[in-house]
Amino acid sequence: MIAGLSTAIVVVLVVVLVPLAPGWDAVKRSFFDAETFVNTFPTLLRAFLLDVAIFAWSVPMIFALGLAIALARGAQSAALFPLRIFGAVYVDLFRGIPVVLLVYLVGFGVPGLGLPRPWNSPYIWGTVALVLTYSAYVAEVLRSGIESIHASQRNAAICLGLSSRDTMRYVILPQAIRRVVPANMNMLVALQKDVALLSFIGPVEILRQAGIFKSLLANFTPYVVAAVIFLCVTVPATRYADYLLNKDRNARS
Amino acid sequence: MPDPKLSLRGVEKSFGEAHVLRGIDLNIGAGELVCLIGASGSGKSTLLRCMNGLEPVDDGAVLLDGVDIAEPGFDLGPIRQRIGIVFQSFNLFPHMSAYENVALAPRRVLQETDTARPRIEALFQRFGLADHINKYPDQLSGGQQQRVAVIRALAMRPETLLLDEITSALDPELVGEVLDVLRQLRNDGMTMVLATHEMSFARDVADRVVFMDQGVIAEEGAPEDIFSNPKRDRTRRFLASVLR
Amino acid sequence: MKTVLTAAIFSALAGAALADGHCAAGKTLTDGTLTIATGNPAYYPWVIDDAPESGQGFEAAVAYALAEEMGFAADAVTWVRTSFDEAIQPGAKNFDINMQQYSITEERDKVVDFSAPYYTAPQAVLTTETVMAAGGTSPTMDFLKELKWGVVASTTALPVVMEQIQPNQSPLVYDDNVNVTAAIQAGQIDAALFDLPTALYLSAVVVEGGAILGQFDPNAAEDPDQFGALMPEGSALKACVDAALAVMTENGRLAEIEAQWLQEATGVPLIK
């Protein structure tokens, strides 16, 4: 009740007071121009489909590679020590490098070595950059999930005669993956936003398209359109992640 | 006495500074039910875990039908099918139904696919869990979960069953149903080693009672000898404290 | 043509005020000083060595000539740096005029003021010798359509590519010249559209094996790309700037500066 009232008061104050500011008309024209909004919306929505596509083909690769790295890091036997070192270096390296730099480095650098078309495509190498970064994060999340499974589960499986491979596949991983679903949901929301970084190396996705409109029309409203489209996707996704997180917390308490 | 099924010779085990097993010699005959008793921390659990190779021993031998399974590099996989173990905390897989818990190892290790199902259903039936076969662990009581854990071990057709304080985590009213299962298995002639605090059960059912104290076997013998006429002072003190 | 005529009329009207030397008086951010903005960094050949204070480079030279014409001595000129976004966002500005190859467009003119044009830029095609070898000596429009194009997002090059060339594959778009040249070098694009002076610079200095495929005749274009000095919307200074530019066009000063700094631009073949 009180919360509702105070919210209402704040909203009313913002709606009433902001337009009274001397620069409001200019700000409104630059950021909230209705005509620009309507005119640029369809093109921006189409550009957003490219974001969705890049996202869609990156996610399976991110999880496959992330899982492989997590398993490499958790390798037990002495013979697999190099694999464990590789996993650790991979995670440190690709979590430490800013995504932007990796997009430039891989997106321009690798094709610059002389790959022929279509193998030098910015779509391919931009995706590789995203996959490298995000698989490092996902690997850490999965590893923490695997380590959170109590050793007694592993012992129980081994004492039944299961191989360590089967123990991981049938006993540890299904529990670990379930446990880190909320953390991975947040990862996906972050990825959805970072997909826009591919525009630095050429692809015209929604933020780039908004930038093009901005310079052609000398108006920032296209960015507002892009923000609205993004919010329509990220807000439900974030809420869903929170919901899963709460559900998991309640289930464990 | 025929050759023992399982034989421990001079088994030593330390965890860091803690010297947990100090030269254990113990023979378990085929079809025998041996109860390990002793205070917490006396080494009962560790001894059980050394018997199936879950804990590697520091020194000594663990002979299964005369073969030393404690040799470094020995392939324990096949051994673990022959020696089942059930833990105090059940350790059921929470993401699988009771049936899936039991069926996993026969399917993956014994390569049984369809043949396992009637066998497993019969086990559930026999131990009074037929109605719960498709439930998940968190839908079962502690006693029911522990019985599923026993069924899971039995489904691998072990020759020997190691039972580590399997009633300790249960509410008192649920202990009976689990002990009933063990009585049935005893009648089947299953070789069993049971670490337990259930003194009356040990007295009623065990063929032999082994009292452990500070990493050594302090006294062993028939239950009536140990419980009615202990020879050592520390056995007497221990029994006085638990039977009070 | 129309703009030149308008500017001429302006100069006739404003002539008297200029004679007094007071046209800009009280109309600048700081009285007695003309604050001019350029890019960060500013590029050759518009500003040499990113040092506009030297007066070296086409825009730097035009800026000082313009200031002089408006009655400001060289030491009364102050330089600041802005990005494109800063220049067009609403709110107070930190410059009197902003010169960084702003193309005059109708939409931009709604938000900010532009002076009369000080340069009409031919659009030129930057590419590599490898692509040139594939296209033969006299490139046709059909050949241009086959190319993979790249442009800088904040320029007017994208509409030119889309409307005049209409390539078969959609162009890639970049933040700045450096990224475009990196993409050319990586073989991800075949060609990019720049104003001719920039294209010449990039092909000669930045892109290894770079080449200019040709230029589009600015006079043939329906809507030629003209650079104007950018001023805040409703700037009182606009009349003074336009008047000064009109005088400079009239007396050949602009053409002189253009010949000095953009001489390489002549002699690049026209694309038909």
Side-chain angles (χ1 to χ4, degrees), chain B residues 10-16 18-21 50 55-61 70:
Chain B
V11 168
E12 299 273 349
K13 178 72 185 175
S14 296
F15 294 108
H19 199 170
V20 182
L21 298 179
C50 288
E55 292 289 354
V57 303
D58 295 340
D59 199 8

Side-chain angles (χ1 to χ4, degrees), chain A residues 104 107 117 120 202 208 214-215, chain C residues 85 173 175 179 187-188 190:
Chain A
Y104 274 130
R117 251 175 245 176
N120 65 0
R208 170 64 75 207
K214 174 207 69 185
S215 67
Chain C
D85 286 12
V173 181
D175 279 329
N179 288 357
Q188 291 169 334
D190 299 314

Side-chain angles (χ1 to χ4, degrees), chain B residues 199 236-244:
Chain B
M199 296 304 157
R236 217 169 287 135
R237 275 201 300 279
F238 170 74
L239 289 173
S241 71
V242 295
L243 294 176
R244 210 175 7 174

Side-chain angles (χ1 to χ4, degrees), chain B:
Chain B
M1 186 169 168
D3 281 346
K5 185 85 199 154
L6 193 62
S7 180
L8 306 184
R9 307 255 173 89
V11 168
E12 299 273 349
K13 178 72 185 175
S14 296
F15 294 108
E17 294 291 298
H19 199 170
V20 182
L21 298 179
R22 304 161 183 257
I24 301 288
D25 294 300
L26 182 65
N27 291 322
I28 315 275
E32 200 180 12
L33 195 170
V34 175
C35 280
L36 302 179
I37 61 171
S40 297
S42 59
K44 307 189 296 289
S45 282
T46 306
L47 186 61
L48 284 180
R49 285 158 179 258
C50 288
M51 287 182 188
N52 78 337
L54 185 56
E55 292 289 354
V57 303
D58 295 340
D59 199 8
V62 179
L63 305 175
L64 179 69
D65 290 330
V67 178
D68 187 3
I69 65 168
E71 283 280 326
F74 191 89
D75 179 14
L76 289 162
I79 298 305
R80 287 183 173 133
Q81 298 159 37
R82 294 169 58 192
I83 308 180
I85 186 165
V86 182
F87 300 94
Q88 176 179 351
S89 52
F90 328 143
N91 299 354
L92 292 182
F93 308 134
H95 59 296
M96 296 182 183
S97 71
Y99 176 78
E100 289 163 343
N101 261 279
V102 175
L104 175 64
R107 192 176 75 237
R108 296 301 305 170
V109 182
L110 304 180
Q111 314 295 331
E112 286 186 60
T113 47
D114 301 335
T115 47
R117 180 145 203 130
R119 198 160 64 79
I120 291 168
E121 283 174 348
L123 283 169
F124 274 88
Q125 185 81 46
R126 177 173 178 198
F127 296 114
L129 290 170
D131 294 343
H132 304 292
I133 191 163
N134 288 320
K135 288 189 179 167
Y136 283 80
D138 61 3
Q139 297 170 310
L140 299 173
S141 73
Q144 290 166 338
Q145 289 189 55
Q146 194 58 291
R147 280 185 281 157
V148 173
V150 173
I151 293 172
R152 184 170 70 176
L154 291 175
M156 293 301 286
R157 298 195 235 251
E159 300 154 3
T160 304
L161 208 50
L162 308 175
L163 304 141
D164 187 4
E165 311 240 11
I166 65 169
T167 57
S168 300
L170 298 179
D171 291 336
E173 70 271 20
L174 300 177
V175 169
E177 62 189 64
V178 174
L179 295 181
D180 284 343
V181 169
L182 300 187
R183 281 197 185 88
Q184 293 189 49
L185 293 176
R186 161 139 180 67
N187 295 337
D188 291 352
M190 173 74 74
T191 307
M192 288 191 280
V193 184
L194 170 70
T196 188
H197 291 296
E198 297 293 330
M199 296 304 157
S200 56
F201 181 79
R203 185 203 293 255
D204 291 351
V205 185
D207 295 308
R208 192 149 49 101
V209 172
V210 174
F211 170 60
M212 289 190 69
D213 186 40
Q214 293 175 13
V216 297
I217 294 176
E219 187 166 354
E220 62 178 305
E224 51 272 25
D225 293 340
I226 298 285
F227 285 105
S228 314
N229 190 17
K231 296 186 182 63
R232 307 280 293 265
D233 273 352
R234 41 184 174 172
T235 314
R236 217 169 287 135
R237 275 201 300 279
F238 170 74
L239 289 173
S241 71
V242 295
L243 294 176
R244 210 175 7 174

Side-chain angles (χ1 to χ4, degrees), chain C residues 55-262:
Chain C
Q56 306 284 299
F58 176 73
E59 281 181 346
V62 169
Y64 279 105
L66 178 65
E68 193 188 330
E69 195 63 45
M70 290 166 69
F72 294 95
D75 57 8
V77 172
T78 310
W79 289 94
V80 294
R81 307 288 184 140
T82 68
S83 67
F84 179 87
D85 286 12
E86 283 173 274
I88 63 163
Q89 75 196 6
K93 301 292 193 294
N94 65 344
F95 55 81
D96 293 312
I97 63 174
N98 193 331
M99 299 174 71
Q100 41 179 315
Q101 309 109 58
Y102 282 119
S103 300
I104 303 170
T105 69
E106 203 183 317
E107 289 84 1
R108 289 175 179 178
D109 208 14
K110 287 180 192 157
V111 189
V112 289
D113 275 354
F114 284 106
S115 71
Y118 57 83
Y119 180 64
T120 301
Q123 297 276 359
V125 178
L126 171 68
T127 182
T128 61
E129 281 158 4
T130 325
V131 175
M132 292 277 275
T137 41
S138 59
T140 60
M141 219 35 153
D142 284 341
F143 176 66
L144 295 188
K145 282 187 202 299
E146 291 301 321
L147 298 180
K148 183 80 182 169
W149 287 85
V151 293
V152 174
S154 60
T155 65
T156 49
L158 185 59
V160 174
V161 169
M162 295 306 285
E163 285 154 27
Q164 294 191 22
I165 301 172
Q166 300 178 350
N168 297 336
Q169 305 171 63
S170 55
L172 294 174
V173 181
Y174 302 88
D175 279 329
D176 55 27
N177 302 354
V178 178
N179 288 357
V180 175
T181 53
I184 289 183
Q185 223 110 64
Q188 291 169 334
I189 55 175
D190 299 314
L193 202 63
F194 290 101
D195 61 77
L196 182 54
T198 302
L200 281 168
Y201 165 68
L202 293 175
S203 78
V205 181
V206 180
V207 180
E208 207 178 308
I212 302 290
L213 201 144
Q215 62 170 314
F216 291 93
D217 182 359
N219 301 315
E222 204 172 287
D223 187 14
D225 201 18
Q226 296 186 308
F227 295 169
L230 183 149
M231 286 161 282
E233 177 75 356
S235 169
L237 206 57
K238 176 172 159 57
C240 307
V241 175
D242 284 350
L245 280 171
V247 172
M248 289 163 67
T249 310
E250 204 84 326
N251 65 16
R253 184 84 182 98
L254 262 182
E256 208 176 285
I257 297 173
E258 189 177 319
Q260 186 186 350
W261 295 106
L262 306 178

